[in-house]
């Protein structure tokens, strides 16, 4: 860790590396890891819990008066009324992890009075450390990073994630993907929103959009992107997005194009735009082919 970094960022890096070491050790024998299901398609492992514990202990040892908002334990630990709140996702990409797919990360952000001031996203499988402090730029392994310079959507790679929880609007998301795909060079789904956002900050991807995310999924990544020269907001382009469960990001030109393409899907879109989306989805349902009937003798149980 560098002595030139802010002390709070140094502590966050220490916490992220401690969690990453636990994750890497567990990845050597992932089939022995105990897994529980929070809800359909939403998993938590003993490694999520151990990593979160290690992060919280590291942060509160250094700053016992700070608050904690963590994915697995919420606000159980830390001070309850502090202006400083650490926002933690100990293992973003748990489903990838339990399948042995090495695409996941540790995400830690520090908010002061609701504004993100420091951010760490750590990719333990590649030992890639993304960091940012407000006003000081964004970095990957001590190298300054910037969002891409691509201006034409046809040249761009866009990251997204598919809905997976009960109640998520899968049809609306697929309509968004259908709107975006013909305009761009490619759309990618990694399974880790925090890592996707770090990749936008580094210029590896040009833009990002995702429904249904929680604050711990996007807090660190949002500061990385803005400190790398990008923009982050909801689908209508408004900057107050952290707890709105719709997030979009990109370099400034791509961000503008995404607002044009996706703004009508926002919960904050105008009534006319929302009506148009509902009608298009309904027409799509009407045109969809019927499910084929099971073949004779075929068991129709899942």
């Amino acid at each position: 860790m560098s002595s030139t970094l802010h002390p709070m960022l140094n502590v966050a890096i220490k916490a992220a590396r401690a969690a990453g070491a636990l994750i890497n050790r567990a990845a050597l024998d992932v089939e022995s890891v105990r897994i529980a299901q929070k809800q359909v398609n939403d998993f938590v492992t003993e490694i999520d819990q151990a990593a979160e514990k290690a992060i919280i202990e590291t942060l509160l040892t250094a700053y016992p008066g700070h608050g904690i908002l963590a994915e697995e334990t919420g606000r159980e630990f830390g001070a309850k009324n502090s202006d400083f709140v650490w926002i933690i996702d100990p293992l973003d990409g748990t489903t990838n992890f339990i399948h042995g797919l090495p695409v996941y990360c540790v995400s830690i952000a520090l908010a002061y009075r609701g504004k993100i001031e420091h951010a760490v996203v750590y990719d333990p499988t590649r030992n890639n450390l993304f960091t940012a402090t407000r006003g000081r730029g964004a970095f990957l392994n001590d190298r300054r990073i910037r969002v891409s310079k691509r201006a034409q959507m046809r040249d761009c790679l866009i990251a997204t994630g598919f809905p997976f929880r009960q109640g998520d609007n899968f049809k609306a998301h697929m309509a968004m993907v259908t709107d975006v795909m013909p305009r761009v060079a490619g759309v990618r789904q990694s399974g880790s929103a925090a890592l996707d956002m770090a990749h936008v900050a580094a210029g590896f991807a040009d833009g990002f959009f995702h429904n249904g995310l929680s604050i711990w999924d996007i807090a660190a990544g949002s500061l990385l992107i803005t400190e790398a020269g990008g923009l982050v907001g909801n689908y209508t382009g408004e900057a107050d997005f952290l707890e709105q469960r719709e997030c979009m990001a990109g370099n400034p030109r791509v961000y503008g194009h995404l607002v044009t393409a996706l703004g009508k899907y926002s919960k904050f879109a105008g009534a006319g735009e929302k009506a148009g989306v509902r009608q298009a989805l309904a027409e799509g349902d009407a045109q969809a082919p019927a499910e084929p009937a099971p073949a004779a003798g075929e068991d129709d149980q899942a």
Side-chain angles (χ1 to χ4, degrees):
M1 292 179 288
S2 172
S3 60
T4 64
L5 296 180
H6 191 286
M8 292 181 184
L9 183 61
N10 268 327
V11 171
I13 292 169
K14 180 181 178 181
R17 289 197 182 278
L22 288 170
I23 293 166
N24 278 343
R25 284 198 295 271
L28 297 174
D29 188 16
V30 71
E31 291 189 359
S32 69
V33 173
R34 290 194 297 274
I35 302 166
Q37 189 163 308
K38 292 188 281 189
Q39 53 181 306
V40 174
N41 295 332
D42 193 1
F43 301 98
V44 61
T45 73
E46 60 183 322
I47 305 307
D48 295 73
Q49 296 162 340
E52 185 167 293
K53 180 180 178 182
I55 292 167
I56 291 172
E57 288 179 350
T58 301
L59 297 176
L60 292 184
T61 296
Y63 299 105
H66 285 192
I68 298 288
L69 174 58
E71 180 176 15
E72 306 306 335
T73 54
R75 296 184 180 271
E76 179 180 345
F77 299 99
K80 305 307 178 190
N81 298 305
S82 176
D83 287 336
F84 293 92
V85 178
W86 292 97
I87 303 168
I88 302 163
D89 191 337
L91 178 52
D92 186 50
T94 298
T95 300
N96 289 347
F97 172 78
I98 63 180
H99 285 83
L101 181 64
V103 183
Y104 40 78
C105 67
V106 180
S107 177
I108 304 173
L110 177 64
Y112 175 68
R113 295 183 176 177
K115 183 176 289 188
I116 308 301
E117 297 292 335
H118 303 286
V120 174
V121 171
Y122 180 50
D123 177 351
T125 67
R126 296 166 183 80
N127 197 27
N128 275 342
L129 182 72
F130 299 85
T131 60
T133 291
R134 180 174 295 276
R136 297 191 184 183
F139 296 82
L140 168 56
N141 299 332
D142 298 322
R143 177 180 60 84
R144 184 73 180 263
I145 55 176
R146 301 288 295 178
V147 294
S148 74
K149 296 180 180 180
R150 295 183 185 89
Q152 301 298 320
M153 286 291 277
R154 64 176 178 267
D155 300 324
C156 290
L157 187 66
I158 306 299
T160 190
F162 291 104
F164 61 91
R165 296 183 181 92
Q166 284 185 318
D168 287 343
N169 193 335
F170 183 75
K171 290 179 182 178
H173 183 79
M174 291 308 298
M176 293 167 66
V177 173
T178 301
D179 267 0
V180 170
M181 283 188 70
R183 307 170 189 245
V184 301
V187 174
R188 298 289 183 268
Q189 201 283 94
S190 77
S192 172
L195 200 53
D196 284 341
M197 295 181 79
H199 289 169
V200 171
F204 304 156
D206 305 288
F208 167 81
F209 68 94
H210 203 309
N211 285 329
L213 295 174
S214 298
I215 188 170
W216 45 75
D217 297 309
I218 58 177
S222 68
L223 184 64
L224 289 172
I225 290 171
T226 55
E227 286 297 315
L231 297 173
V232 188
N234 63 24
Y235 294 153
T236 60
E238 301 299 323
D240 183 16
F241 65 93
L242 281 173
E243 299 190 68
Q244 293 181 352
R245 301 187 73 79
E246 58 179 56
C247 182
M248 183 176 68
N251 74 43
R253 292 291 295 275
V254 170
Y255 188 79
H257 291 310
L258 288 174
V259 169
T260 299
L262 302 180
K264 61 181 176 288
Y265 295 100
S266 173
K267 66 180 74 172
F268 305 104
E273 291 178 309
K274 289 181 179 178
V277 168
R278 286 195 298 269
Q279 181 177 351
L281 292 176
E283 290 173 353
D285 286 344
Q287 295 171 7
E291 289 289 330
E298 180 177 325
D299 184 1
D300 62 356
Q301 297 296 315

